[in-house]
Amino acid sequence: MGKRVALVLAGCGVFDGSEIHEASAALVHLSRGGAEVKIFAPNIEQRDVVNHLKGSPAEEKRNVLVESARLARGNIQDLAELKASEFDAVIFPGGFGVAKNLCSWAVDGKNCTVNEHVNSTLQAFHSAKKPIGLCCISPVLAAKVFPGCEVTVGQDKNIDGRFPDAETASAIAELGCKHICKNVNESHVDKANKIVSTCAFMCKAPLHEIFDGIGTMVQEVLKLA
């Protein structure tokens, strides 16, 4: 019987929601791994809406759950309904929506607050010693909720211009966590906390390398589950 995995989304679109390629890659690798997946998102208003063609703010309001339903092909539930007891693992794809909607990292950095249902979900899986998978910017959720944990967002220096957000690693360290430098096609496993992370689009890399890196994260999560 396949592992039961919850996937938590933050909207639809890299600049104000979940990164679509990351969410899709996670779903493909979970499918290949024989997992039974259910998708969730918080039923809240987005912090902002971005016109992805122009890269500028749009004067409108959108709901995170409604937008996430686009990625879930309509088959999605309110995050408030997620019960850790019904799953073997949870995975959070990245995208600016994680830093805007699931927490306030985009505005407050290491002083951010985490959405109550996101926080309770993370705490529930951690307390039950069930694995948590994170990619791109979503490792900051673990860094904020679990001081002392180990995560990766890629490199801590902007090597060859490929890691423009390398300062995120320093902010993670300032939260009392250990940042582990990894390449885009790798993931890091914090065995003590059962947290698996990979940098994905925190690195400027070809899409297939990002896809493969997310694959290593999913594989490790399923092993731990």
Side-chain angles (χ1 to χ4, degrees), residues 1 18 22 57 59 69 83 125 132 163 173-174 182 187 192:
M1 185 175 177
S18 288
E22 291 179 10
E59 295 300 319
K83 295 181 176 62
F125 278 85
I132 298 167
F163 294 90
E174 288 175 20
K182 290 286 183 178
S187 56

Side-chain angles (χ1 to χ4, degrees), residues 17-55:
S18 288
E19 211 298 317
I20 293 170
H21 298 292
E22 291 179 10
S24 178
L27 287 166
V28 170
H29 287 296
L30 285 166
S31 176
R32 183 169 288 148
E36 177 188 338
V37 181
K38 289 189 178 180
I39 305 175
F40 297 84
N43 186 9
I44 56 174
E45 188 176 298
Q46 290 186 187
R47 177 175 288 274
D48 61 16
V49 178
V50 175
N51 180 321
H52 280 60
L53 179 62
K54 297 179 179 180

Side-chain angles (χ1 to χ4, degrees), residues 21 42 44 52 55 61 64 81-82 96 146 151 153 156 169 171-172 192-193 210 215 220 224-225:
H21 298 292
I44 56 174
H52 280 60
K61 297 183 184 299
V64 174
E81 299 173 7
L82 194 162
F96 278 103
F146 308 119
V151 293
V153 289
D156 55 10
I172 286 171
N193 290 292
I210 291 165
E220 294 295 341
L224 289 172

Side-chain angles (χ1 to χ4, degrees), residues 9-11 41-42 44-46 62-69 101-102:
L9 298 179
I44 56 174
E45 188 176 298
Q46 290 186 187
R62 296 193 183 186
N63 177 281
V64 174
L65 179 59
V66 173
E67 290 302 295
S68 297
N101 304 323
L102 303 192

